[in-house]
């Protein structure tokens, strides 16, 4: 079984990836691989951030690895929060991001949105990029207890 280091410290993301790929790959989080760093996401695109994270891990370990960057893109907000989805409301708790989103949509009829994910996979030194999109709408209030991030309003 091929081992892939997943360049994340997010336990929820790791659980979701392992549920899908765990029968085909040995997925190791940064912590499980003995890597105790937070990799910044300094770029203005999901593509550049994903590539940054996977290249940092590959350069540190010379092992197969992958990373992702995901953004919630809302049509009527011109793609916001997008690449800054995790820090949309600055440095407060994540719930502040949801409150800011709902506030910015309070008078809007068009609530179409999508989650867009870019995956950067480095296998044997070669980078491959993938894009996934999940379309939906933003509801006016939080609902449900499962999931994480913007799941309660998407």
């Amino acid at each position: 079984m091929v081992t892939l280091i997943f360049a994340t410290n997010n336990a929820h993301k790791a659980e979701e990836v392992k549920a899908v790929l765990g029968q085909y790959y040995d997925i190791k989080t940064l912590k499980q691989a003995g890597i105790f760093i937070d990799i910044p996401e300094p770029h203005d695109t999901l593509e550049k951030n994903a590539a940054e994270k996977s290249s940092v891990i590959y350069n540190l370990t010379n092992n197969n690895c992958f990373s992702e960057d995901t953004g919630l893109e809302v049509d009527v907000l011109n793609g916001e929060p997008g690449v800054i989805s995790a820090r949309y409301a600055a440095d407060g708790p994540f719930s502040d991001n949801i409150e800011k989103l709902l506030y910015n949509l309070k008078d809007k009829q068009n609530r179409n949105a999508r989650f867009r994910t870019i995956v950067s996979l480095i296998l044997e030194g070669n980078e491959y990029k993938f894009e996934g999109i999940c379309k939906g709408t933003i509801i006016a209030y939080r609902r449900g207890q499962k999931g994480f991030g913007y799941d309660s309003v998407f």
Side-chain angles (χ1 to χ4, degrees):
M1 188 177 289
V2 174
T3 297
L4 292 173
I5 299 172
F6 184 12
T8 189
N9 289 310
N10 185 316
H12 294 293
K13 286 182 182 181
E15 288 172 16
E16 288 185 350
V17 168
K18 286 179 181 182
V20 174
L21 298 177
Q23 65 185 13
Y24 307 106
Y25 297 95
D26 178 23
I27 306 294
K28 301 231 180 272
T29 63
L30 291 176
K31 182 178 177 182
Q32 291 168 331
I35 302 167
F36 299 97
I37 61 172
D38 279 321
I39 305 168
E41 296 177 337
H43 303 290
D44 61 355
T45 68
L46 300 173
E47 292 82 1
K48 288 179 184 176
N49 282 336
E52 172 91 13
K53 292 185 284 186
S54 63
S55 65
V56 165
I57 297 307
Y58 186 78
N59 290 333
L60 276 174
T61 67
N62 206 34
N63 288 315
N64 295 323
C65 62
F66 71 101
S67 65
E68 61 76 37
D69 199 18
T70 299
L72 174 66
E73 300 172 340
V74 180
D75 292 352
V76 74
L77 299 179
N78 299 314
E80 282 187 11
V83 72
I84 62 164
S85 292
R87 53 194 181 283
Y88 189 43
D91 294 326
F94 196 88
S95 60
D96 289 355
N97 294 328
I98 295 172
E99 291 305 317
K100 180 177 180 178
L101 176 67
L102 294 177
Y103 177 80
N104 288 342
L105 289 173
K106 69 179 173 164
D107 296 326
K108 308 290 189 224
Q109 295 299 313
N110 176 355
R111 299 173 80 87
N112 293 333
R114 68 184 188 164
F115 276 110
R116 189 167 69 92
T117 298
I118 301 296
V119 174
S120 169
L121 169 67
I122 300 180
L123 283 176
E124 308 302 326
N126 296 307
E127 182 186 23
Y128 305 89
K129 288 186 182 168
F130 307 91
E131 178 182 59
I133 293 174
C134 179
K135 294 180 180 183
T137 58
I138 304 299
I139 60 175
Y141 54 90
R142 294 178 198 210
R143 183 171 59 197
Q145 300 298 319
K146 295 186 179 182
F148 62 99
Y150 292 95
D151 291 357
S152 65
V153 295
F154 182 78

